[in-house]
Amino acid sequence: MPEVQELNQALPLQLTASGQWRLAPGHYQGNFRISSAMVLYCEPGAVLDGSGQGTVLSIDAPDVQVHGCELRGAGHDLTAMDAAIFIQHQANVAVVANNHIVGSGFGIWADGSKDVQIHHNVIEGDDSLRSQDRGNGIHLYAVSGASVVGNRVSQTRDGIYIDTSNHNHLQNNQLTDLRYGIHYMFSNNNQVVGNLTRNTRTGYALMQSRQLTVTGNRSENDQNYGILMNYITYSTLSGNEVSRVRSGSTGDSMIQGAEGKALFIYNSVFNRIVANRFSDSALGIHLTAGSEDNEISANSFIGNRQQVKYVATRTQEWSKDGLGNYWSDYLGWDRNANGLGDVPYEPNDNIDRLVWMYPQMKLLMHSPAIELLRWVQAMFPVVKSPGVRDSFPLMAGYQQDEQNESR
C-alpha cells in the first residue's frame, strides 16, 4: 500500500485572505488525503500525480472543496477502487469542480456520501486498455442528493455509474467513446436531464430501478442501444432524441441480440414514454419479456429500417386520449385534416412475424404472394395475432409544448 500523506502538510499551500488554500504550479507526486474542511484551488500547472499507485486524492472530511486541479497517475486496481479522487462516506457536501483527470482507474468515486457536487470536470480514461479493464469516469455508490452537472467523460468504462443511489440529479454531461454512457443499477428517484452520449456501446443503460425521470437527453451514433430499459418501473422518458444507433458487438452487453435499437424495453412496466424522437437507426423500438402496460404516445419514429419489434400475448394500444405517435412509414391518409391518420398503424402483423422468424423472406416483401397475405389478414381479422396497434397515428412529427402535454 502506498503511503498516504496529509495534503495540507505535504504540499506548499498558501492561505488567502478569503480562507481558501491555493496550490502553486508544480508537479506533486504521492497519494494525498484531506482530513478537515477546506477549500482548495489549484493554480494552472499544479499537477497531483499518484505515480500509478493507489488513490491520488482522498477526501475524508465533510465540507471539502477541490477546484481546478489536474490529477493523473492513479493506480489501476479496480478491486481496490483506485481513483483520482475518492470521496469517503463521511465527506458530505463535498464539491469537486473544474478538475482535469487522466488515468486508467476510476475518475471520481463517491462512496456513501450525501449532497456532493461533481461539476464541470474533464475525465479521460486509457484507451489502450479494454473497456472492462478501465474504471468508470464518475462512480456513485450508496449516494443520495448528488448533483453531477456539466462533466465531460471519455475513454473510461462507463461514463457515469450509479449503484444503489437515490435522489440524485445528472444534467448536461457529455459522455463519449465509452461502454455505457449513463448506467443505473438499483437506484430510485433519480433525474437524468439534458445529457449527451456519443459513440458508446449503450447510451443510457437503465437497469433494476424505478421512478427515474429521463428527459431532454440525446444519444448520437451509439452502438447496440440508444436507451436500454431493463426491469424499469414507474419511470418517465420524455423529450429525448436518439439517432443513428447501429448494430455492433454484443461481447459485454448484458442482454444479447443487440441490433442497433434506439429504444429497447426488457421486462419493464408501468412507464410513461412520451414525446421522444427515435430516428435513423436499425430498429426504432423493441419490447420483450412482458413489457406491457407502458404508456407509449406522442413519440416520433423516423427513418428507422424497422420501426417496431414486439411479439405480444395481447394487443398493445400505443395511443392515449386520442393521441398516437408519428411513424415515417405510415401509408394512411387524413381526409378530415385533423392531423391524425384515418386508419390505425399496425407495425407487427403476421407478415412481420414471419420475417423475424425467416429473414430470407425480405427478398419477397413486395411480391404478389406477400401482398395477398396482407390482404387476407386485413379481410379476415380473426387470423391476426396480437400485436402493437396505434389507433391515432400522427401525420406530422410531434412537438412537445404545454398545450400538447396537457392532453
Side-chain angles (χ1 to χ4, degrees), residues 100-376:
H100 183 195
I101 293 170
V102 180
S104 57
F106 294 94
I108 300 170
W109 182 302
D111 194 72
S113 45
K114 297 179 180 178
D115 302 321
V116 300
Q117 296 182 33
I118 302 173
H119 291 182
H120 305 294
N121 302 281
V122 176
I123 303 173
E124 303 172 45
D126 183 354
D127 63 358
S128 68
L129 299 174
R130 297 182 306 168
S131 63
Q132 58 264 45
D133 295 331
R134 310 171 198 168
N136 300 315
I138 297 171
H139 190 113
L140 307 182
Y141 176 74
V143 167
S144 63
S147 172
V148 182
V149 176
N151 301 281
R152 289 187 288 143
V153 184
S154 62
Q155 302 292 355
T156 62
R157 181 170 60 193
D158 297 344
I160 305 174
Y161 181 89
I162 305 97
D163 184 6
T164 323
S165 297
N166 304 328
H167 301 286
N168 301 294
H169 184 85
L170 280 58
Q171 185 168 3
N172 293 343
N173 301 284
Q174 295 185 25
L175 312 159
T176 60
D177 301 296
L178 307 158
R179 183 184 69 165
Y180 300 151
I182 292 177
H183 187 182
Y184 270 95
M185 294 291 292
F186 309 107
S187 298
N188 307 320
N189 298 98
N190 283 265
Q191 295 182 329
V192 185
V193 181
N195 302 281
L196 168 66
T197 66
R198 183 183 291 124
N199 296 330
T200 73
R201 268 175 279 174
T202 293
Y204 302 84
L206 314 177
M207 302 186 179
Q208 283 88 16
S209 302
R210 58 183 171 83
Q211 292 180 305
L212 302 181
T213 299
V214 182
T215 181
N217 302 282
R218 285 185 294 155
S219 160
E220 299 176 353
N221 293 312
D222 289 322
Q223 189 180 83
N224 299 334
Y225 313 106
I227 300 176
L228 165 63
M229 301 174 66
N230 179 17
Y231 289 88
I232 298 296
T233 57
Y234 301 105
S235 296
T236 296
L237 274 69
S238 66
N240 303 289
E241 297 185 11
V242 180
S243 61
R244 300 184 298 279
V245 183
R246 61 198 187 280
S247 301
S249 167
T250 59
D252 56 4
S253 293
M254 291 190 176
I255 299 175
Q256 296 301 307
E259 299 168 356
K261 301 169 185 175
L263 175 62
F264 185 31
I265 306 177
Y266 183 90
N267 209 356
S268 298
V269 294
F270 309 126
N271 299 293
R272 185 169 179 262
I273 302 168
V274 298
N276 304 282
R277 178 187 174 100
F278 305 105
S279 66
D280 303 308
S281 300
L283 179 57
I285 179 172
H286 183 191
L287 288 84
T288 189
S291 296
E292 302 174 350
D293 298 308
N294 294 293
E295 177 191 339
I296 301 176
S297 64
N299 303 285
S300 296
F301 296 87
I302 301 173
N304 302 297
R305 290 202 299 273
Q306 181 180 342
Q307 298 281 44
V308 176
K309 184 173 182 179
Y310 184 37
V311 178
T313 57
R314 58 186 171 90
T315 298
Q316 297 294 295
E317 176 59 50
W318 284 4
S319 65
K320 183 176 176 60
D321 299 330
L323 183 68
N325 303 273
Y326 174 72
W327 308 92
S328 63
D329 60 344
Y330 176 64
L331 299 178
W333 52 87
D334 178 17
R335 287 175 294 188
N336 60 359
N338 68 346
L340 303 174
D342 294 339
V343 295
Y345 179 81
E346 297 178 296
N348 59 342
D349 59 14
N350 288 334
I351 304 303
D352 291 323
R353 292 164 181 266
L354 287 171
V355 171
W356 301 341
M357 295 172 61
Y358 308 104
Q360 302 91 331
M361 279 191 59
K362 291 180 181 179
L363 298 174
L364 304 175
M365 283 306 293
H366 300 291
S367 69
I370 295 297
E371 295 302 321
L372 176 61
L373 285 174
R374 288 197 186 278
W375 180 83
V376 170

